[in-house]
Amino acid sequence: MSTDSITELVVDIAKRARRASLELAALSTETKNRFLLDLAQRLVNETDAIIQANAQDLNNAKESGLSLPMTERLTFTPERIQSMAEGVKQVAALPDPVGVEIERLSPPKGFDLRKIRVPMGVIGIIYESRPNVTIDCAILCLKSGNASILRGGKEAFHSNMKLAAIIQEALRANGIHEDAVQFIPTTDRAALTVLLKQDDTIHCIIPRGGESLIRFTVENSRIPVIKHYTGVCSIYVDASADADMAESILINSKCQRPSVCNSAENLIIHQDASAQLPRLAKALHDHGVELRVDTHAKALLNASGLPLVNATDADFATEYTDLIISIAVVPDIQAAIALINANSSGHTESIVTEDTSAAQRFLTEVDSAAVFHNASTRFSDGFEFGLGAEIGISTDRLHARGPMGLNELCTYKYVIHGTGEIR
Amino acid sequence: MSTDSITELVVDIAKRARRASLELAALSTETKNRFLLDLAQRLVNETDAIIQANAQDLNNAKESGLSLPMTERLTFTPERIQSMAEGVKQVAALPDPVGVEIERLSPPKGFDLRKIRVPMGVIGIIYESRPNVTIDCAILCLKSGNASILRGGKEAFHSNMKLAAIIQEALRANGIHEDAVQFIPTTDRAALTVLLKQDDTIHCIIPRGGESLIRFTVENSRIPVIKHYTGVCSIYVDASADADMAESILINSKCQRPSVCNSAENLIIHQDASAQLPRLAKALHDHGVELRVDTHAKALLNASGLPLVNATDADFATEYTDLIISIAVVPDIQAAIALINANSSGHTESIVTEDTSAAQRFLTEVDSAAVFHNASTRFSDGFEFGLGAEIGISTDRLHARGPMGLNELCTYKYVIHGTGEIR
């Protein structure tokens, strides 16, 4: 496609999404849920066709030498399609966020003033290989009354196009504006650049993918972006930490699922708790974790016989997403907080301590989206928080911070019911 | 200054603001309020010095031929300084937004999970001629626990530098980090461009000024921007509107203070209420308002003898900030809503009607920050809403929409108090 025709295509998609969004905002909960349940059924019914489209992507993946983990994430099976359909049903069962009164205000003149939750309007989602994101994002946007424009990666193009077609059929069958969910039918980078300039019609961009995709989005977007950067999460073992609890929280945070953003990357330990370090290091090593240690930690662990790697400063700001941990020993809680605030990605941190005032200081002064006292960082998650579903975990501060559920896909409006008031 | 030294200056200011912000987040309400009351006193005490600095700006304004209204906005008098100091005392009296529990969640695993309001971090404010904005923004940011970086216009440079020096003295005298409020001591455009790229250290940019300043900011910023665009507000007089109420709301919305963003620019009238149009038009004319009419309105008003101007389509999307109004007659409420959603800046709209279901439809389907039933658009304001103070009125949807008070200058964090929970 020529640049001109790509521009025309994307501008048209954005305008149509804006028009659809005005209808969607007034859509009944019943209609949205009927659509979702119908979509779930259609996904199951179309299992063979989805797998056939997916086979084209897998074939291309093979030819282009896509890595095994990437290929694995790209692959649909009947079980995965079934589970995707279950996810759609779960969203149907969640309460509708739209129209809810968030706050009743007390204006000095006494008129009736309420803050009501309403959809944002049009949301652009930019994502990479996993094709189930197409369904996840489309349904969360629709349930929250937003029109969505989906822009998936080239690896999953055929799978995405098939899923988008099924969504279109379900929209039409349920009398919803067919531009409510649109998929951009080209993987040309130019389409992305054009999309990011449509600030008259698109209200929010959510990039889901690697750091380079997010950085490209931020640098090229005129539309507000909600970023979901990496998770460089830390466990801080305070002077008064309970040793059993420290070990159990550390191992769970680091090892239960090291590839995800809420797993721990750093262990920071108060020097007065350094007697616990050999035990913690051994437990990590027994779980296959590589230990990258600062000089103080190294001195304390030299006698342990465990294999140690010297940590660099940069290690403490690195998301390994692997069985590796950076370990530092600090003189006091202030140094721990400073180390975290200097290196964290602002995602999730946890303090293990029996000292309530130390906990309170940590929870106040650590500047991250989620701060935990005596709990695993792995709980930083929309489902675990009870949000019902999540579109991601924001490392931004504006609008949404931490796990983003249906409420966070909405904005609000102020509604006055007056009786002729004038100033 | 060379470009290199400007870059160095601005990057350093941003880094120092970030460091200060980590201290500010934990500052007690008492310390913040003591600072504010001291600052109020210092402003009054330094009245002569402020007026002296202001005289330099007024002198430059005269030489450069600054317009009379602009010069008027630039001018300090002892009364204005007194009223600025009163404003500072009022902010001291407002409740501290920081640390407030916004929500207690119900996670499936049952641990104690709360959403707590916390400062954003570092806020950059970019503004134009009025020097009192320096004080307004600095105090709202500080009260909400945020470090601020202020970038004022060149017309008010000497006044701003003096106010910034007084703020610095008050910070030092009250033991607050002196980088909590910083003013950029150059009006070179390069400083602004550098500022807008400091997304590692600055968390939010709020531009307050004309459309070209806001557009420049959006196009050059890597930092999230909260826009305060124009207010193109409409009054819709529905079929069943009470004629007296329609006139009083219309005249108040249009004429009480036509230069501000919450004044009305458009009158849209249902054809079944067209009998009211001659009376409304006469009242507007009697208040000195120019009438720009569509063809339908013109036909209805031709016999009135009132002077009429033909409205263009663009008129309905224009913020006049003057005694001019655009008038359209529509066949039904659907057409009124469509006209508003196509032309409004998303600020404030009001329906005048006795029909509750028409009101409900308007309030739901009109996609603006504030939607009113039987009340003047002039109430769309932080003070009138009971927010106590406002830093502006956001026409954005993300984070803050409509009047932005202290709460809207904050973000939140999730805090878990656990007892050793793991997944």
Side-chain angles (χ1 to χ4, degrees):
Chain A
M1 256 194 272
S2 71
T3 309
D4 276 3
S5 52
I6 284 177
T7 302
E8 202 178 311
L9 172 79
V10 174
V11 169
D12 183 58
I13 285 174
K15 281 187 181 162
R16 284 191 285 123
R18 177 63 183 131
R19 277 194 296 269
S21 76
L22 293 168
E23 277 188 32
L24 278 175
L27 215 59
S28 73
T29 307
E30 291 65 33
T31 304
K32 292 190 278 196
N33 289 345
R34 202 175 57 229
F35 159 80
L36 291 169
L37 296 175
D38 183 32
L39 175 63
Q41 190 55 56
R42 282 168 193 269
L43 289 171
V44 173
N45 294 349
E46 300 251 27
T47 296
D48 291 347
I50 296 169
I51 286 182
Q52 213 174 324
N54 189 237
Q56 286 184 267
D57 289 327
L58 292 174
N59 204 36
N60 293 343
K62 207 170 173 183
E63 280 175 17
S64 65
L66 197 71
S67 74
L68 219 65
M70 291 282 274
T71 306
E72 205 277 327
R73 295 170 77 186
L74 182 60
T75 307
F76 270 131
T77 60
E79 292 68 35
R80 283 187 176 183
I81 293 168
Q82 181 67 46
S83 126
M84 188 164 71
E86 288 303 321
V88 179
K89 283 190 212 166
Q90 281 163 17
V91 170
L94 292 175
D96 190 335
V98 177
V100 171
E101 181 179 315
I102 302 172
E103 192 184 344
R104 188 157 183 178
L105 290 92
S106 306
K109 300 270 166 66
F111 46 75
D112 181 299
L113 172 60
R114 297 157 201 246
K115 200 169 169 178
I116 305 289
R117 188 176 288 123
V118 298
M120 276 191 199
V122 179
I123 300 178
I125 315 271
I126 301 164
Y127 52 105
E128 291 181 327
S129 67
R130 292 193 308 137
N132 57 314
V133 174
T134 304
I135 297 293
D136 290 355
C137 291
I139 62 171
L140 291 172
C141 289
L142 193 121
K143 177 85 186 210
S144 55
N146 293 290
S148 56
I149 301 175
L150 309 170
R151 209 283 187 180
K154 65 174 184 308
E155 297 81 4
F157 187 70
H158 296 95
S159 314
N160 285 333
M161 287 292 278
K162 182 64 203 168
L163 294 172
I166 297 171
I167 295 170
Q168 287 292 317
E169 285 157 22
L171 288 169
R172 271 194 297 271
N174 290 281
I176 301 179
H177 201 302
E178 62 180 349
D179 296 330
V181 181
Q182 293 177 86
F183 182 79
I184 294 191
T186 164
T187 57
D188 196 311
R189 196 87 197 231
L192 182 52
T193 312
V194 174
L195 187 74
L196 296 174
K197 303 294 179 214
Q198 305 310 309
D199 54 338
D200 284 345
T201 40
I202 303 176
H203 304 109
C204 174
I205 295 284
I206 302 178
R208 288 185 45 163
E211 192 156 348
S212 74
L213 176 78
I214 297 175
R215 208 158 279 284
F216 178 87
T217 303
V218 169
E219 286 178 11
N220 289 278
S221 185
R222 263 188 226 158
I223 305 164
V225 176
I226 298 180
K227 296 185 283 294
H228 298 66
Y229 266 136
T230 52
V232 180
C233 306
S234 295
I235 300 289
Y236 167 57
V237 176
D238 190 40
S240 73
D242 175 270
D244 290 340
M245 193 190 286
E247 179 179 331
S248 122
I249 287 175
L250 173 65
I251 296 302
N252 186 256
S253 298
K254 178 67 240 180
C255 308
Q256 198 220 2
R257 205 169 161 205
S259 65
V260 296
C261 62
N262 60 17
S263 67
E265 311 293 354
N266 298 324
L267 164 63
I268 302 166
I269 186 160
H270 192 293
Q271 63 182 10
D272 294 351
S274 57
Q276 296 188 24
L277 183 53
R279 171 185 171 176
L280 296 175
K282 170 139 194 338
L284 287 164
H285 176 72
D286 290 349
H287 282 79
V289 179
E290 175 184 317
L291 310 172
R292 299 202 182 170
V293 290
D294 75 353
T295 49
H296 197 152
K298 189 174 184 180
L300 290 166
L301 289 174
N302 257 338
S304 71
L306 294 169
L308 304 173
V309 175
N310 293 329
T312 64
D313 283 351
D315 282 338
F316 290 93
T318 300
E319 184 184 40
Y320 296 119
T321 58
D322 203 348
L323 288 171
I324 306 174
I325 198 163
S326 308
I327 304 177
V329 177
V330 292
D332 52 30
I333 187 171
Q334 186 173 350
I337 292 169
L339 185 67
I340 290 172
N341 284 337
N343 291 284
S344 162
S345 63
H347 192 295
T348 303
E349 333 290 337
S350 182
I351 180 174
V352 184
T353 189
E354 297 298 300
D355 175 348
T356 316
S357 73
Q360 197 46 52
R361 181 169 181 194
F362 184 91
L363 300 175
T364 303
E365 296 185 19
V366 167
D367 187 24
S368 293
V371 285
F372 295 176
H373 172 208
N374 290 348
S376 168
T377 58
R378 292 277 294 119
F379 287 112
S380 197
D381 171 282
F383 294 92
E384 295 294 339
F385 275 15
L387 307 183
E390 68 171 36
I391 202 154
I393 295 179
S394 163
T395 53
D396 260 326
R397 287 143 193 273
L398 267 72
H399 190 76
R401 193 180 197 200
M404 269 188 88
L406 290 171
N407 288 351
E408 289 73 26
L409 287 171
C410 291
T411 179
Y412 53 82
K413 60 164 68 160
Y414 288 101
V415 176
I416 285 186
H417 293 278
T419 52
E421 282 84 351
I422 60 168
R423 266 177 93 171
Chain B
M1 259 194 267
S2 71
T3 310
D4 276 2
S5 53
I6 284 178
T7 302
E8 203 179 311
L9 173 79
V10 173
V11 169
D12 183 57
I13 285 175
K15 282 186 181 162
R16 285 192 284 124
R18 177 63 183 130
R19 277 194 296 269
S21 76
L22 292 169
E23 278 189 32
L24 278 175
L27 214 60
S28 73
T29 306
E30 292 64 34
T31 305
K32 293 190 280 195
N33 289 346
R34 201 176 56 228
F35 159 80
L36 291 169
L37 295 175
D38 182 32
L39 175 63
Q41 191 55 55
R42 282 167 193 270
L43 289 170
V44 175
N45 294 350
E46 299 251 26
T47 295
D48 291 348
I50 295 169
I51 285 181
Q52 212 172 326
N54 189 238
Q56 285 184 268
D57 289 328
L58 292 174
N59 203 36
N60 292 345
K62 208 170 173 180
E63 280 175 18
S64 65
L66 196 71
S67 75
L68 220 65
M70 291 281 274
T71 305
E72 205 278 327
R73 296 170 76 185
L74 183 59
T75 307
F76 271 130
T77 60
E79 294 69 33
R80 283 185 177 186
I81 293 168
Q82 181 65 47
S83 122
M84 190 163 68
E86 287 303 320
V88 179
K89 284 191 213 165
Q90 281 164 19
V91 170
L94 292 176
D96 190 335
V98 178
V100 171
E101 180 179 316
I102 302 171
E103 194 184 343
R104 189 157 183 179
L105 289 92
S106 307
K109 300 268 166 67
F111 46 75
D112 182 298
L113 173 61
R114 297 158 200 246
K115 200 169 167 178
I116 305 289
R117 189 176 289 124
V118 298
M120 276 191 201
V122 179
I123 300 178
I125 315 271
I126 301 164
Y127 52 105
E128 291 180 325
S129 66
R130 291 192 309 138
N132 57 317
V133 174
T134 303
I135 297 293
D136 290 354
C137 292
I139 61 171
L140 291 172
C141 288
L142 193 119
K143 177 86 187 207
S144 55
N146 293 291
S148 56
I149 300 175
L150 309 169
R151 209 280 187 183
K154 64 175 186 306
E155 297 81 3
F157 186 70
H158 296 96
S159 314
N160 285 334
M161 287 293 277
K162 182 65 205 167
L163 294 173
I166 297 171
I167 295 171
Q168 286 293 317
E169 286 157 20
L171 287 170
R172 272 193 297 270
N174 291 280
I176 301 179
H177 200 303
E178 65 180 347
D179 296 330
V181 180
Q182 294 178 85
F183 183 78
I184 294 191
T186 164
T187 58
D188 195 312
R189 196 88 197 231
L192 182 51
T193 312
V194 175
L195 187 74
L196 297 174
K197 303 294 180 212
Q198 305 311 307
D199 54 338
D200 285 345
T201 41
I202 303 177
H203 304 107
C204 175
I205 294 285
I206 302 177
R208 289 184 46 162
E211 192 157 349
S212 75
L213 175 77
I214 297 175
R215 208 159 280 285
F216 179 86
T217 303
V218 169
E219 286 179 10
N220 289 280
S221 185
R222 263 188 226 157
I223 305 164
V225 177
I226 298 180
K227 296 185 284 293
H228 298 68
Y229 266 136
T230 52
V232 180
C233 307
S234 296
I235 300 289
Y236 167 58
V237 176
D238 190 40
S240 73
D242 175 272
D244 290 341
M245 192 190 285
E247 180 179 330
S248 120
I249 287 176
L250 173 66
I251 296 302
N252 186 256
S253 297
K254 178 67 239 178
C255 308
Q256 198 221 1
R257 204 168 161 208
S259 66
V260 295
C261 61
N262 61 15
S263 68
E265 311 293 353
N266 297 325
L267 165 62
I268 302 166
I269 185 162
H270 191 294
Q271 64 182 9
D272 294 352
S274 57
Q276 296 187 24
L277 183 55
R279 170 184 172 179
L280 296 175
K282 171 138 195 335
L284 287 163
H285 176 72
D286 290 348
H287 281 80
V289 180
E290 176 184 317
L291 311 172
R292 300 202 181 169
V293 290
D294 75 353
T295 49
H296 197 153
K298 188 174 185 180
L300 291 165
L301 289 173
N302 256 338
S304 71
L306 294 169
L308 304 173
V309 176
N310 293 329
T312 64
D313 283 351
D315 283 339
F316 289 93
T318 301
E319 184 183 41
Y320 296 119
T321 58
D322 203 349
L323 288 171
I324 306 173
I325 198 165
S326 308
I327 304 177
V329 178
V330 292
D332 51 31
I333 187 171
Q334 184 172 351
I337 292 169
L339 185 68
I340 289 171
N341 283 338
N343 292 284
S344 162
S345 62
H347 192 295
T348 303
E349 332 290 336
S350 182
I351 181 174
V352 185
T353 189
E354 297 298 300
D355 174 347
T356 316
S357 73
Q360 197 47 52
R361 182 170 179 190
F362 184 91
L363 299 175
T364 303
E365 296 184 19
V366 167
D367 187 24
S368 294
V371 285
F372 295 176
H373 172 210
N374 290 347
S376 168
T377 58
R378 291 278 295 119
F379 286 111
S380 196
D381 172 283
F383 294 93
E384 295 293 339
F385 275 15
L387 307 184
E390 68 171 36
I391 201 154
I393 296 179
S394 163
T395 53
D396 259 325
R397 287 144 193 272
L398 267 71
H399 189 76
R401 194 181 196 198
M404 269 187 88
L406 289 172
N407 287 351
E408 288 74 26
L409 287 171
C410 292
T411 179
Y412 53 83
K413 61 165 65 160
Y414 288 101
V415 177
I416 285 185
H417 292 278
T419 52
E421 282 84 350
I422 60 168
R423 266 178 91 172

